[in-house]
Amino acid sequence: MKKSQVIARYLQTQLNLLKCPICQSDFSSIQGITLTCVHGHSFDISKKGSVFFLNAPVKTEYTTEMLIKRQKIIQAGLFQPVLARISTLLKGDRIIDAGCGEGSQIKTIAQAHAANYFAFDISKPAINLAVSGADFAEKVAFFVGDLAHMPFKDHQFTDIVNILSPANYSEFKRVLAPGGQLIKVMPNAAYLQELRQLVYPTGANATYDPEPVQAHFLQQFPDSVLEQMHYTFDLTPDLAQALFAMTPLTWMATAGAAADVTSLQRITVDLTIAIAEI
């Protein structure tokens, strides 16, 4: 069976969780590989198995080459302890990954926690990469979608995962069911510090202050539980180059820094996992 048909069959069983991102009405049916809402707006499932829920493509700074590098180092285990911890924190079986990137993280979580997963990102190249691998999973549906207009009904989901990605807290609160939870992963000051020191040895970018992002989260969810994850990850020269290419931290790097990156033998992962119950 083709990927598009597999996802069509899966989404048919989950149609009551989705809503049309254009008119916010219910989807009435899936005919073949086409989702149609009660007002006639239709969305085709691609051959690779994703659904494009935007009015038009949005250009982002993440190129396909960068995303491939990101996929490589994530699949090598850069965030494995974090993903393993998230899989133990999930409460239910209707889970959104908001800002899923190229999909490696939610696929890893899905292998450890059986559930229905709905992952989306505004980047079409990221979603194309997410559905292109051999690790295709029937119960992980990937969408190209807008964080400000998520194609999900109100108060239907048990968990939202938001890993090192922008957030829309009003939308998150809208789609989470009572008792549901948001799991957000945010960087701490030492996150990728060896790479930062290589790229920005001095100046304003030489350090990172996590307080504004974390304070904003706590304003929204003052009763959250915060867990710290701090460890180092060993790098080969090849993985060091992938790390350099995957992160916005290096977008303004000099050619010299790019040449020196293979000297990095390990990298610090310093993150906060914030758990907020709705």
Side-chain angles (χ1 to χ4, degrees), residues 3 15 17 21 44 51 67 76 88-89 94 102 131 140 148 171 174 194 203 221 233 237 259 261 278:
K3 285 184 178 180
L15 208 56
L17 302 179
D44 291 337
V51 185
L67 291 161
T88 69
L89 292 170
R94 299 183 306 281
E102 45 65 51
V131 295
V140 184
E171 276 288 271
R174 178 184 67 78
E194 296 86 355
F221 307 101
F233 179 75
V261 70
I278 302 301

PDB file of all heavy atoms in Angstrom, residues 3 15 17 21 44 51 67 76 88-89 94 102 131 140 148 171 174 194 203 221 233 237 259 261 278:
ATOM      1  N   LYS A   3       2.234   5.091   0.691  1.00  0.00           N
ATOM      2  CA  LYS A   3       2.250   5.897   1.912  1.00  0.00           C
ATOM      3  C   LYS A   3       1.009   6.780   2.007  1.00  0.00           C
ATOM      4  O   LYS A   3       0.425   6.925   3.084  1.00  0.00           O
ATOM      5  CB  LYS A   3       3.507   6.760   1.965  1.00  0.00           C
ATOM      6  CG  LYS A   3       4.777   6.016   2.298  1.00  0.00           C
ATOM      7  CD  LYS A   3       5.933   7.000   2.404  1.00  0.00           C
ATOM      8  CE  LYS A   3       7.224   6.314   2.793  1.00  0.00           C
ATOM      9  NZ  LYS A   3       8.355   7.267   2.900  1.00  0.00           N
ATOM     10  N   LEU A  15     -10.232  11.658  12.133  1.00  0.00           N
ATOM     11  CA  LEU A  15     -10.776  12.851  11.495  1.00  0.00           C
ATOM     12  C   LEU A  15     -11.487  13.765  12.482  1.00  0.00           C
ATOM     13  O   LEU A  15     -11.539  14.986  12.289  1.00  0.00           O
ATOM     14  CB  LEU A  15     -11.731  12.439  10.373  1.00  0.00           C
ATOM     15  CG  LEU A  15     -11.893  13.406   9.201  1.00  0.00           C
ATOM     16  CD1 LEU A  15     -10.552  13.720   8.563  1.00  0.00           C
ATOM     17  CD2 LEU A  15     -12.846  12.833   8.165  1.00  0.00           C
ATOM     18  N   LEU A  17     -10.476  14.751  15.192  1.00  0.00           N
ATOM     19  CA  LEU A  17      -9.516  15.598  15.907  1.00  0.00           C
ATOM     20  C   LEU A  17      -9.064  16.795  15.083  1.00  0.00           C
ATOM     21  O   LEU A  17      -8.469  17.725  15.620  1.00  0.00           O
ATOM     22  CB  LEU A  17      -8.283  14.780  16.295  1.00  0.00           C
ATOM     23  CG  LEU A  17      -8.499  13.549  17.174  1.00  0.00           C
ATOM     24  CD1 LEU A  17      -7.177  12.845  17.427  1.00  0.00           C
ATOM     25  CD2 LEU A  17      -9.153  13.935  18.492  1.00  0.00           C
ATOM     26  N   PRO A  21      -8.044  24.420   8.414  1.00  0.00           N
ATOM     27  CA  PRO A  21      -7.307  25.619   8.801  1.00  0.00           C
ATOM     28  C   PRO A  21      -7.777  26.879   8.074  1.00  0.00           C
ATOM     29  O   PRO A  21      -7.402  27.982   8.462  1.00  0.00           O
ATOM     30  CB  PRO A  21      -5.865  25.274   8.419  1.00  0.00           C
ATOM     31  CG  PRO A  21      -5.990  24.283   7.318  1.00  0.00           C
ATOM     32  CD  PRO A  21      -7.223  23.481   7.620  1.00  0.00           C
ATOM     33  N   ASP A  44      -4.977  17.512  -0.282  1.00  0.00           N
ATOM     34  CA  ASP A  44      -4.521  16.199  -0.717  1.00  0.00           C
ATOM     35  C   ASP A  44      -3.374  15.693   0.147  1.00  0.00           C
ATOM     36  O   ASP A  44      -2.503  16.470   0.567  1.00  0.00           O
ATOM     37  CB  ASP A  44      -4.048  16.251  -2.166  1.00  0.00           C
ATOM     38  CG  ASP A  44      -5.179  16.465  -3.153  1.00  0.00           C
ATOM     39  OD1 ASP A  44      -6.329  16.154  -2.799  1.00  0.00           O
ATOM     40  OD2 ASP A  44      -4.904  16.940  -4.273  1.00  0.00           O
ATOM     41  N   VAL A  51       0.438  16.155   4.601  1.00  0.00           N
ATOM     42  CA  VAL A  51      -0.653  17.036   4.169  1.00  0.00           C
ATOM     43  C   VAL A  51      -0.173  18.475   4.275  1.00  0.00           C
ATOM     44  O   VAL A  51       0.382  18.879   5.309  1.00  0.00           O
ATOM     45  CB  VAL A  51      -1.917  16.845   5.026  1.00  0.00           C
ATOM     46  CG1 VAL A  51      -3.057  17.688   4.464  1.00  0.00           C
ATOM     47  CG2 VAL A  51      -2.318  15.384   5.086  1.00  0.00           C
ATOM     48  N   LEU A  67      18.730  20.771   7.053  1.00  0.00           N
ATOM     49  CA  LEU A  67      17.832  19.819   7.694  1.00  0.00           C
ATOM     50  C   LEU A  67      18.385  18.401   7.638  1.00  0.00           C
ATOM     51  O   LEU A  67      18.223  17.622   8.575  1.00  0.00           O
ATOM     52  CB  LEU A  67      16.451  19.894   7.046  1.00  0.00           C
ATOM     53  CG  LEU A  67      15.679  21.190   7.315  1.00  0.00           C
ATOM     54  CD1 LEU A  67      14.573  21.377   6.285  1.00  0.00           C
ATOM     55  CD2 LEU A  67      15.103  21.191   8.724  1.00  0.00           C
ATOM     56  N   ALA A  76      22.055  10.329  15.335  1.00  0.00           N
ATOM     57  CA  ALA A  76      23.259   9.812  15.978  1.00  0.00           C
ATOM     58  C   ALA A  76      23.139   9.818  17.502  1.00  0.00           C
ATOM     59  O   ALA A  76      23.967   9.210  18.181  1.00  0.00           O
ATOM     60  CB  ALA A  76      24.481  10.622  15.550  1.00  0.00           C
ATOM     61  N   THR A  88       8.754   9.157  28.763  1.00  0.00           N
ATOM     62  CA  THR A  88       8.234   8.708  30.059  1.00  0.00           C
ATOM     63  C   THR A  88       7.266   9.716  30.669  1.00  0.00           C
ATOM     64  O   THR A  88       6.500   9.364  31.574  1.00  0.00           O
ATOM     65  CB  THR A  88       9.372   8.460  31.062  1.00  0.00           C
ATOM     66  OG1 THR A  88       9.990   9.700  31.427  1.00  0.00           O
ATOM     67  CG2 THR A  88      10.405   7.508  30.488  1.00  0.00           C
ATOM     68  N   LEU A  89       7.297  10.946  30.194  1.00  0.00           N
ATOM     69  CA  LEU A  89       6.437  11.997  30.746  1.00  0.00           C
ATOM     70  C   LEU A  89       5.072  12.074  30.071  1.00  0.00           C
ATOM     71  O   LEU A  89       4.130  12.634  30.639  1.00  0.00           O
ATOM     72  CB  LEU A  89       7.122  13.362  30.606  1.00  0.00           C
ATOM     73  CG  LEU A  89       8.374  13.598  31.460  1.00  0.00           C
ATOM     74  CD1 LEU A  89       9.070  14.885  31.017  1.00  0.00           C
ATOM     75  CD2 LEU A  89       8.020  13.675  32.941  1.00  0.00           C
ATOM     76  N   ARG A  94      -2.967  11.001  22.388  1.00  0.00           N
ATOM     77  CA  ARG A  94      -3.224  11.955  21.300  1.00  0.00           C
ATOM     78  C   ARG A  94      -2.226  13.099  21.467  1.00  0.00           C
ATOM     79  O   ARG A  94      -2.442  14.018  22.264  1.00  0.00           O
ATOM     80  CB  ARG A  94      -4.676  12.451  21.343  1.00  0.00           C
ATOM     81  CG  ARG A  94      -5.696  11.341  21.173  1.00  0.00           C
ATOM     82  CD  ARG A  94      -7.127  11.847  21.138  1.00  0.00           C
ATOM     83  NE  ARG A  94      -7.479  12.683  22.300  1.00  0.00           N
ATOM     84  CZ  ARG A  94      -7.790  12.216  23.497  1.00  0.00           C
ATOM     85  NH1 ARG A  94      -7.785  10.911  23.737  1.00  0.00           N
ATOM     86  NH2 ARG A  94      -8.108  13.035  24.479  1.00  0.00           N
ATOM     87  N   GLU A 102      12.513  18.052  10.960  1.00  0.00           N
ATOM     88  CA  GLU A 102      12.597  16.939  10.002  1.00  0.00           C
ATOM     89  C   GLU A 102      12.107  15.617  10.577  1.00  0.00           C
ATOM     90  O   GLU A 102      12.229  14.572   9.930  1.00  0.00           O
ATOM     91  CB  GLU A 102      14.005  16.809   9.431  1.00  0.00           C
ATOM     92  CG  GLU A 102      15.143  16.902  10.423  1.00  0.00           C
ATOM     93  CD  GLU A 102      15.169  15.773  11.408  1.00  0.00           C
ATOM     94  OE1 GLU A 102      15.113  14.617  10.971  1.00  0.00           O
ATOM     95  OE2 GLU A 102      15.245  16.034  12.612  1.00  0.00           O
ATOM     96  N   VAL A 131       8.920  12.625   5.979  1.00  0.00           N
ATOM     97  CA  VAL A 131       8.146  11.511   5.411  1.00  0.00           C
ATOM     98  C   VAL A 131       8.912  10.733   4.338  1.00  0.00           C
ATOM     99  O   VAL A 131       8.357   9.823   3.725  1.00  0.00           O
ATOM    100  CB  VAL A 131       6.799  12.010   4.833  1.00  0.00           C
ATOM    101  CG1 VAL A 131       5.927  12.557   5.942  1.00  0.00           C
ATOM    102  CG2 VAL A 131       7.002  13.051   3.745  1.00  0.00           C
ATOM    103  N   VAL A 140       2.125   8.202  12.915  1.00  0.00           N
ATOM    104  CA  VAL A 140       2.735   9.530  13.012  1.00  0.00           C
ATOM    105  C   VAL A 140       2.373  10.277  11.741  1.00  0.00           C
ATOM    106  O   VAL A 140       2.914   9.991  10.670  1.00  0.00           O
ATOM    107  CB  VAL A 140       4.266   9.467  13.184  1.00  0.00           C
ATOM    108  CG1 VAL A 140       4.829  10.869  13.369  1.00  0.00           C
ATOM    109  CG2 VAL A 140       4.647   8.588  14.375  1.00  0.00           C
ATOM    110  N   ALA A 148       0.273  29.411  14.378  1.00  0.00           N
ATOM    111  CA  ALA A 148      -0.780  30.338  14.802  1.00  0.00           C
ATOM    112  C   ALA A 148      -2.180  29.859  14.442  1.00  0.00           C
ATOM    113  O   ALA A 148      -3.169  30.389  14.952  1.00  0.00           O
ATOM    114  CB  ALA A 148      -0.543  31.717  14.179  1.00  0.00           C
ATOM    115  N   GLU A 171      -2.646  28.949  21.378  1.00  0.00           N
ATOM    116  CA  GLU A 171      -3.058  27.810  20.567  1.00  0.00           C
ATOM    117  C   GLU A 171      -2.863  26.498  21.325  1.00  0.00           C
ATOM    118  O   GLU A 171      -3.698  25.588  21.250  1.00  0.00           O
ATOM    119  CB  GLU A 171      -2.282  27.768  19.257  1.00  0.00           C
ATOM    120  CG  GLU A 171      -2.841  28.637  18.160  1.00  0.00           C
ATOM    121  CD  GLU A 171      -4.135  28.068  17.588  1.00  0.00           C
ATOM    122  OE1 GLU A 171      -4.089  27.268  16.647  1.00  0.00           O
ATOM    123  OE2 GLU A 171      -5.215  28.417  18.118  1.00  0.00           O
ATOM    124  N   ARG A 174      -5.614  26.072  23.643  1.00  0.00           N
ATOM    125  CA  ARG A 174      -6.873  25.803  22.935  1.00  0.00           C
ATOM    126  C   ARG A 174      -7.047  24.327  22.605  1.00  0.00           C
ATOM    127  O   ARG A 174      -8.142  23.774  22.752  1.00  0.00           O
ATOM    128  CB  ARG A 174      -6.932  26.622  21.639  1.00  0.00           C
ATOM    129  CG  ARG A 174      -8.194  26.369  20.810  1.00  0.00           C
ATOM    130  CD  ARG A 174      -8.188  27.118  19.498  1.00  0.00           C
ATOM    131  NE  ARG A 174      -7.178  26.655  18.565  1.00  0.00           N
ATOM    132  CZ  ARG A 174      -7.274  25.554  17.815  1.00  0.00           C
ATOM    133  NH1 ARG A 174      -8.346  24.768  17.923  1.00  0.00           N
ATOM    134  NH2 ARG A 174      -6.302  25.218  16.986  1.00  0.00           N
ATOM    135  N   GLU A 194      30.575  24.905  23.533  1.00  0.00           N
ATOM    136  CA  GLU A 194      31.843  24.767  22.818  1.00  0.00           C
ATOM    137  C   GLU A 194      31.739  25.320  21.397  1.00  0.00           C
ATOM    138  O   GLU A 194      32.670  25.965  20.904  1.00  0.00           O
ATOM    139  CB  GLU A 194      32.248  23.286  22.772  1.00  0.00           C
ATOM    140  CG  GLU A 194      32.519  22.672  24.131  1.00  0.00           C
ATOM    141  CD  GLU A 194      31.256  22.138  24.817  1.00  0.00           C
ATOM    142  OE1 GLU A 194      30.140  22.333  24.266  1.00  0.00           O
ATOM    143  OE2 GLU A 194      31.387  21.533  25.891  1.00  0.00           O
ATOM    144  N   GLY A 203      32.181  39.246  22.353  1.00  0.00           N
ATOM    145  CA  GLY A 203      31.038  40.008  21.873  1.00  0.00           C
ATOM    146  C   GLY A 203      29.717  39.556  22.459  1.00  0.00           C
ATOM    147  O   GLY A 203      29.655  38.652  23.302  1.00  0.00           O
ATOM    148  N   PHE A 221       2.584  29.595  32.594  1.00  0.00           N
ATOM    149  CA  PHE A 221       2.331  28.354  33.338  1.00  0.00           C
ATOM    150  C   PHE A 221       3.118  28.386  34.647  1.00  0.00           C
ATOM    151  O   PHE A 221       4.147  27.715  34.793  1.00  0.00           O
ATOM    152  CB  PHE A 221       2.749  27.147  32.495  1.00  0.00           C
ATOM    153  CG  PHE A 221       2.139  27.117  31.121  1.00  0.00           C
ATOM    154  CD1 PHE A 221       2.873  27.514  30.012  1.00  0.00           C
ATOM    155  CD2 PHE A 221       0.830  26.696  30.934  1.00  0.00           C
ATOM    156  CE1 PHE A 221       2.324  27.489  28.743  1.00  0.00           C
ATOM    157  CE2 PHE A 221       0.261  26.668  29.657  1.00  0.00           C
ATOM    158  CZ  PHE A 221       1.008  27.069  28.564  1.00  0.00           C
ATOM    159  N   PHE A 233      28.039  15.199  24.700  1.00  0.00           N
ATOM    160  CA  PHE A 233      27.854  14.244  23.605  1.00  0.00           C
ATOM    161  C   PHE A 233      29.139  14.216  22.782  1.00  0.00           C
ATOM    162  O   PHE A 233      29.635  15.262  22.348  1.00  0.00           O
ATOM    163  CB  PHE A 233      26.672  14.676  22.742  1.00  0.00           C
ATOM    164  CG  PHE A 233      26.396  13.783  21.565  1.00  0.00           C
ATOM    165  CD1 PHE A 233      25.801  12.542  21.732  1.00  0.00           C
ATOM    166  CD2 PHE A 233      26.740  14.176  20.272  1.00  0.00           C
ATOM    167  CE1 PHE A 233      25.545  11.711  20.654  1.00  0.00           C
ATOM    168  CE2 PHE A 233      26.484  13.364  19.187  1.00  0.00           C
ATOM    169  CZ  PHE A 233      25.886  12.125  19.382  1.00  0.00           C
ATOM    170  N   PRO A 237      34.614  14.042  13.693  1.00  0.00           N
ATOM    171  CA  PRO A 237      34.721  15.195  12.784  1.00  0.00           C
ATOM    172  C   PRO A 237      33.500  15.364  11.892  1.00  0.00           C
ATOM    173  O   PRO A 237      33.044  16.487  11.643  1.00  0.00           O
ATOM    174  CB  PRO A 237      35.989  14.895  11.984  1.00  0.00           C
ATOM    175  CG  PRO A 237      36.827  14.079  12.917  1.00  0.00           C
ATOM    176  CD  PRO A 237      35.844  13.221  13.670  1.00  0.00           C
ATOM    177  N   ALA A 259      36.119  25.955   9.412  1.00  0.00           N
ATOM    178  CA  ALA A 259      37.263  25.079   9.203  1.00  0.00           C
ATOM    179  C   ALA A 259      37.712  24.426  10.505  1.00  0.00           C
ATOM    180  O   ALA A 259      38.197  23.288  10.506  1.00  0.00           O
ATOM    181  CB  ALA A 259      38.410  25.867   8.584  1.00  0.00           C
ATOM    182  N   VAL A 261      35.853  23.588  13.107  1.00  0.00           N
ATOM    183  CA  VAL A 261      34.826  22.867  13.850  1.00  0.00           C
ATOM    184  C   VAL A 261      35.164  21.391  14.021  1.00  0.00           C
ATOM    185  O   VAL A 261      34.762  20.762  15.008  1.00  0.00           O
ATOM    186  CB  VAL A 261      33.441  23.036  13.178  1.00  0.00           C
ATOM    187  CG1 VAL A 261      33.386  22.284  11.851  1.00  0.00           C
ATOM    188  CG2 VAL A 261      32.337  22.585  14.107  1.00  0.00           C
ATOM    189  N   ILE A 278      -2.514  21.564  32.006  1.00  0.00           N
ATOM    190  CA  ILE A 278      -3.598  22.508  31.711  1.00  0.00           C
ATOM    191  C   ILE A 278      -4.794  22.233  32.612  1.00  0.00           C
ATOM    192  O   ILE A 278      -5.217  21.089  32.756  1.00  0.00           O
ATOM    193  CB  ILE A 278      -4.034  22.383  30.227  1.00  0.00           C
ATOM    194  CG1 ILE A 278      -2.832  22.639  29.319  1.00  0.00           C
ATOM    195  CG2 ILE A 278      -5.174  23.373  29.915  1.00  0.00           C
ATOM    196  CD1 ILE A 278      -2.186  23.983  29.468  1.00  0.00           C
TER     197      ILE A 278
END
